[in-house]
Amino acid sequence: MAPGAVSVVYAKGSKFDWDYYVGKHMPLVQAKWAKYGLKSWRVARYTNDEAPYQAQAWLEFEKLDQWATAASSPEAGEIFGDVPNFTDAKAEPLVGTEVGSASW
C-alpha cells in the first residue's frame, strides 16, 4: 500500500509566526500523531510573488487511512486548536497517496 501524503497549505497575506510553527507546532504534531502512523514531516516557506501560499507542510503517514484516524483522534483538537497561535490563515489539507519519489 502506498504511503499517505498529506500536505497542509496556508494562504499568503496572513500573519505567520515561523519560529512557533517550526519550533512548537510541528513538534506537537509529531508527538501526538506518531502513534497514528505519522512517519515524517517537512515544511517549506514560499517567497516567490506568484505563489498563492506562504507555507506548506508535508505529513507522511504509513498508510492513508492513518491520516483519517489521526485527524479524528482526541489529540486532533489540541493540534487544530494550536493553529491560531501561529497564523490567522485557514489550514487547508490536501490528502492523497504517494505515487513516486526519489532521494539521492
Side-chain angles (χ1 to χ4, degrees), residues 13-25:
S14 54
K15 79 163 181 114
F16 206 91
D17 183 338
W18 284 97
D19 291 334
Y20 187 95
Y21 185 58
V22 174
K24 295 195 189 285
H25 182 74

Side-chain angles (χ1 to χ4, degrees), residues 82-102:
D82 190 49
V83 171
N85 290 324
F86 61 87
T87 189
D88 54 4
K90 181 179 185 265
E92 299 178 47
L94 308 170
V95 181
T97 55
E98 187 176 307
V99 295
S101 68

Side-chain angles (χ1 to χ4, degrees), residues 10 16-33 38 41 43 57 59 75 78-87:
Y10 299 90
F16 206 91
D17 183 338
W18 284 97
D19 291 334
Y20 187 95
Y21 185 58
V22 174
K24 295 195 189 285
H25 182 74
M26 292 309 297
L28 172 69
V29 170
Q30 178 180 338
K32 300 296 183 177
W33 282 353
L38 178 66
W41 60 266
V43 169
L59 308 175
E75 296 87 350
E78 182 178 359
I79 290 170
F80 297 135
D82 190 49
V83 171
N85 290 324
F86 61 87
T87 189

